[in-house]
Amino acid sequence: MQIDWLAFTPGPAFLGGILLGIAAALYVILHGRILGISGIVSGLLSPQEGDIQWRFSLVLGLLSAPILGGLFFGLHTITVIDADWIAIIIAGVLVGFGANYGSGCTSGHGVCGLSRLSPRSLVATVSFMSAGFLIVFVIRHVLGL
Amino acid sequence: MRRHFSFFSQYLIGVLFGIGLIISGMSNPKKILNFLDLAGNWDPSLIFVMGGAILVGLAGFYLASKRSEAFFGGALHIPTRRDISKPLIIGSLIFGAGWGIAGFCPGPAIVGLGAGHLKALVFILAMLAGMAICNRFFTGHKK
């Protein structure tokens, strides 16, 4: 293992992480819910009475973040997508299926779950991190893609 | 009135979360993949994202646990399950595999769509299909 010091950005990473924590904390205190994006999005597929508006409000907020961030804070959204179209589709299906089947994603299990010291979320986070490490190892170093 | 404030608050929290994802680098798939590449040129930044988020989150969820209801009304919907089930592990492994293939997870993908990336849109449509398959043929977390 060698560390890529040029790409390493501990400052912005920590600051951004604090904002994620504030959002999750505000969400549970103000709205009484876990800020898990996959759960919120998934609920739009089978809407219950009275919950489609709030789910949509939150998703709309995420969608407008790059625009508002650029407008008010001069924030530049860097999104480099190396995966090709087929990889994108396969990845999307796996992420959607896995998040629903495993009851959460990076935000629900990783941020909120670990913050409330949930053993289930710890197991989920270790599981998806391990799978992520493994698949990147296979793709980059075994298959050499 | 309170209802409208509640929706606006949801929207602002979405914006705040999105901006957190952008500043932290989480919304950049290349950065995620470089974090997941332990054997390559490793970028450990994501550890600091999680560290910052959990530091604040710990305080937030502790404060929430002292409350009897949410500020905008209604009960606190905090998960109560504690069992380490097969779907939890298998689902998370599948999720992690998808995350490692494209470098996208749900929140960053939506931010990527907001930034105008067509691949983010395709990823989200595929993700919705994956969710629908799970809801239709397997027991999702919706029960």
Side-chain angles (χ1 to χ4, degrees), chain A residues 2-114:
Chain A
Q2 58 181 47
I3 292 177
D4 186 354
W5 293 108
L6 287 175
F8 185 40
T9 51
F14 189 68
L15 174 65
I18 284 178
L19 295 183
L20 299 178
I22 293 174
L26 284 175
Y27 203 62
V28 69
I29 290 168
L30 298 178
H31 302 283
R33 290 177 185 275
I34 299 292
L35 186 51
I37 308 301
S38 63
I40 290 167
V41 170
S42 168
L44 287 169
L45 290 173
S46 49
Q48 310 291 306
E49 201 184 325
D51 80 348
I52 196 144
Q53 282 170 296
W54 66 258
R55 290 178 192 273
F56 196 69
S57 302
L58 193 114
V59 171
L60 208 61
L62 278 175
L63 275 172
S64 41
I67 302 147
L68 296 179
L71 222 56
F72 291 106
F73 308 110
L75 203 61
H76 182 50
T77 306
I78 303 168
T79 307
V80 182
I81 310 168
D82 285 335
D84 62 25
W85 294 99
I86 299 294
I88 287 284
I89 292 169
I90 294 170
V93 172
L94 293 177
V95 162
F97 182 91
N100 260 26
Y101 200 56
S103 309
C105 59
T106 343
S107 51
H109 280 311
V111 174
C112 297
L114 295 185

Side-chain angles (χ1 to χ4, degrees), chain B residues 42-101:
Chain B
W42 191 47
D43 175 3
S45 305
L46 193 59
I47 294 173
F48 288 76
V49 183
M50 293 306 287
I54 292 166
L55 205 65
V56 180
L58 279 171
F61 280 94
Y62 175 76
L63 289 175
S65 74
K66 301 280 161 202
R67 297 183 64 93
S68 54
E69 64 168 25
F71 177 82
F72 282 110
L76 294 164
H77 302 268
I78 308 285
T80 50
R81 283 181 68 172
R82 296 186 67 83
D83 60 310
I84 308 297
S85 62
K86 259 191 198 162
L88 177 82
I89 297 172
I90 295 168
S92 298
L93 289 173
I94 293 172
F95 171 82
W99 191 41
I101 290 174

